[in-house]
Amino acid sequence: MADTNIEKKKTIVEKIWKFFTSVKLAVVLFAFIALSSIIGTVIEQDSRPEKNIKLFTKMFGADNAQKAYKTAASLGLIDMYHSWWFNAMLVLISANLIICSVDRLPRIKRIVDEPVKPLETPEFDKFGIKKELTLECGMEDAKTKTLAALKKLGFSPNTHQSGKDIQIYAHKGRFTRYAVYVIHFSIVIILLGAVIGMTWGFSGFLILPEGETSAVAYTRQGDEHPLGFSIRCDDFAIWFYGTSDMPEKYLSWLSVIEGGVTVLKKTIGVNTPLKYKGFTFYQSSYGAVPAKEAKSLIILNITPINGKTEQISLPVGDSFKIPDTKLTGKVIAFSPALAFDKDEKPYTYTENMNNPAIYVEFNAGGNEKYSGWLVKRYPQTWDLPDGSKVELVDNWGYQYTGLQVRKDPGVLVVYAGCLFMTIGLYCAFFLSHKKIWVLLQPEKAKVKINIAAFTNKNKTGYEGRVTAVFNGAFNGAFNGLTPKISK
Amino acid sequence: MGSPILFGMAEVGYFIAMMVYIGYFIFKNNATGVCATTVATAAFLSQTVALLLRWVESYSLGIGRAPLTNLYESLIFFVWCLMLGYLIIEFKYKNRTFGAFVTPIAGLALGFIDLTGISKEIEPLVPALQSNWLLAHVTMSFIAYAAFAIAFATGMLYLVLNTEKRNESSYIFWTVAGSIFLLVIAAMGADYLKFKVIGTSPEHIKSYLFRATFRSDSGFTALLSWIGALAITFSVWRYGYVLKRMIQSFGISLEFLEDLNYKLIAVGFPIFTLGGLIFGAIWADQAWGVYWSWDPKETWSLITWFVYAFYLHARYLRGWRGNKIAVLSSVGFITVIFTYLGVNMFLSGLHSYGGS
């Protein structure tokens, strides 16, 4: 009867509290997150609608695909990580974690604060780790050796004398009991960092052709987002492994311009972004600028026989002179990725700058002398029959650099959470709360030694260590007591 | 001698070790056990040398990087960690019995490489992978995976020993999960015989996986394979107790298995959290500009993390022990397999360059 009365008197706050302390709620929430994110890996998130319509066509047939897509979109399944219900779930998880932890803390605090006290003799039998041995030695000797052993085990031992008996006892690592709560807390911090990022951050992209400047970045939906400064792509370059089409590295030379003045210049690559005023620019992609928009220049290094190298730049269609000779070259054509087919006919195999080449016609006094392809990646194509050399250095204005632009004030909070989590994990899994008591009782010319020990983790490991250290202190006397590891 | 020959020797060695460990199970003869350990150790050493050689070879190719960067190399490294962990445990606890459970996992991983036609070339790194985080992230993830794999083996052994009735859910779990493993190995063996030994490998197929059985071009063979699979699963379920009797005579204590299962997860979980999730997030933040993008690999790692976190909470808070916890640890490893291979095979995402 008394119980039901108490039940009735529970306030709403208490009921809510109880609801959030339940482990079942945590299980349900985490299962829900897991299930919905599985759906999220099947339905491509935040991508072009065609992709998912294709998927729905496969699953439900062409007739229902549009309907299925609309239903999925209204349920937030197409962009679920930004949907209200997914974020509500994360908030509930945080609440659950915090309240579960706070609910348990007083109990844990009691265990942590509990001082270690000498045991009554019969209590020694109650411990999982216990050793009993009678040795021929003096009390003082046994005491010194025990103190040394406990220090070696990492304890700062206390001594208690009652009558002729001496008890040496200690504990350590009691604060590791909080480690689990540090981990829970760190998850909340990481989620908090994510919320900060989503609320005050910006995530978008910027396609910047060589030579172009932009004062805005674009969201995924294509809306402009002002940066507060301008960014210019001075150059972009890509290198390939050997003769393959596998990119080795690609770099963008960026300038930050504020108030008409270049305030920062940096070369960025994948894994080395540029940071300025809270914005970070990541090298994420690259590509070719559509031919009609390209304001492009070919850059050549010209070296006549025994002459000095000279750098020139010119657009396709223009001519250049090779100094000290009668030769003029005319750039007839440009190919971003030159290849030859079976009939030795040249063609461009991709839009990207995989194998840039120019076709040049050389004339001397109005007569065509020779013509051919100069290929950037193949130095043997740069040598002319007369011994001079024309190197295709770069082709500028043909490419754009794809930058991922992000502003995330929450990222440091997330990192802090990760740090807390690492510390928490280390303390929770590799450290433990340990206690030990050693009772020394004189028996005629001998000393009876009683050891009791406790740990909240890895009992076998601790027992082995205690035995080994006492063996060391008492010349192997505990050998016979080594517990057999059960198989 | 180049690394491919040594890898091949290691592969054959692990298969032989698997057979001998199973033989040791049946004959309970100490000499067989010693033989199994010797073969496994020799194969492990051969693999170790092969890994180092591959590393050196990459330098002589002018690429110069640790052999940890594509699906092939990561599978090889996983097997290496798995066997190292297993041999340490065998040596430390002087117990060979679950070798018969661990070596098939190694065999499965290696068979998978050969049958799916994963590229074994030493390839240069795409720019996103050129980072020091690669080594930390991949090494730690695979050490954790190996720990989870051995925990799975101990969990399964526990279930074999601790279940009695055929209608018990844990009995059904281990017989079905065990059958699936057995069937996958058998089907891979059939593929191997058909396409590599008899040598009728059709050029146009990239992956031979299950082509001799479940995915055979002949509908009749495929149907027969499925019927056979059901029959095998049924017999494992019907006669599972025979295995129990076989193992019982080794006198392995259940406490030992449970303790080992927990210890492996207690080591694997923090390593996985730090190396797999946290280092992965930091690296992603540097390379892609997002620390978490719900990419399929990330999502499945998180689900794996949830499963093991659930295992730990069930143990600590609810005091779950015995069959329930053994089933949980096995479910954990099944999610690991999906995170690792399933995601690469079925889903696309940022991690897909690890594909082939």
Side-chain angles (χ1 to χ4, degrees), chain A residues 300 356-360 362 372-376 381-382 384 390 392:
Chain A
L300 301 173
I358 49 170
Y359 190 80
V360 187
F362 289 96
W373 286 98
L374 304 183
V375 188
K376 189 181 168 192
T381 63
W382 305 341
L384 301 184
V390 179
L392 174 57

Side-chain angles (χ1 to χ4, degrees), chain A residues 324-397:
Chain A
D324 312 326
T325 65
K326 287 176 187 159
L327 277 178
T328 42
K330 188 180 182 196
V331 184
I332 305 286
F334 170 78
S335 165
L338 180 75
F340 293 95
D341 64 11
K342 279 192 300 231
D343 309 322
E344 299 286 308
K345 262 178 73 182
Y347 71 101
T348 295
Y349 66 93
T350 160
E351 293 270 291
N352 287 328
M353 293 300 140
N354 281 18
N355 192 23
I358 49 170
Y359 190 80
V360 187
E361 250 180 40
F362 289 96
N363 293 284
N367 302 320
E368 188 185 326
K369 295 280 281 186
Y370 26 82
S371 59
W373 286 98
L374 304 183
V375 188
K376 189 181 168 192
R377 288 172 65 188
Y378 294 86
Q380 63 268 31
T381 63
W382 305 341
D383 295 316
L384 301 184
D386 78 328
S388 47
K389 197 167 137 188
V390 179
E391 178 189 352
L392 174 57
V393 180
D394 200 3
N395 33 275
W396 187 87

Side-chain angles (χ1 to χ4, degrees), chain A residues 66 72 85 127 206 240 242 335 342-343 371 469:
Chain A
Q66 287 290 346
W85 54 267
F127 283 83
L206 179 58
F240 296 90
S335 165
K342 279 192 300 231
D343 309 322
S371 59
V469 169

Side-chain angles (χ1 to χ4, degrees), chain A residues 249-266:
Chain A
K249 62 174 175 183
Y250 39 100
L251 304 176
S252 298
W253 282 260
L254 301 181
S255 293
V256 176
I257 301 154
E258 218 173 359
V261 187
T262 304
V263 286
L264 180 68
K265 272 178 175 285
K266 196 183 174 189

Side-chain angles (χ1 to χ4, degrees), chain A residues 27 30 37-38 41 81 104 184 194 241 246-248 250 270-271 282 406 408 414-415 422 425 429 458 486-487, chain B residues 93 124-125 127-128 130 251-253 256 263 266 274 283 285-287 289 291 294 299 303 306 310 312-313 317:
Chain A
V27 171
F30 278 103
S37 48
I38 288 173
T41 59
Y81 304 117
R104 277 162 199 283
H184 287 175
Y241 283 105
M246 188 174 182
E248 181 185 355
Y250 39 100
V270 183
N271 283 315
Y282 299 86
R406 193 192 60 171
D408 191 346
V414 172
Y415 278 12
T422 310
L425 282 169
F429 285 97
N458 192 9
S486 53
K487 283 183 221 173
Chain B
Y93 296 103
L125 292 182
Q130 295 163 11
I252 314 163
S253 89
F256 164 72
K263 273 185 186 160
L274 183 65
W283 185 15
D285 185 41
Q286 280 195 3
Y291 51 81
W294 294 103
T299 306
I303 293 169
F306 284 168
F310 183 71
L312 293 166
H313 284 84
L317 287 176

Side-chain angles (χ1 to χ4, degrees), chain A residues 241, chain B residues 57-64:
Chain A
Y241 283 105
Chain B
E57 279 163 23
S58 87
Y59 273 95
S60 60
L61 284 174
I63 295 164

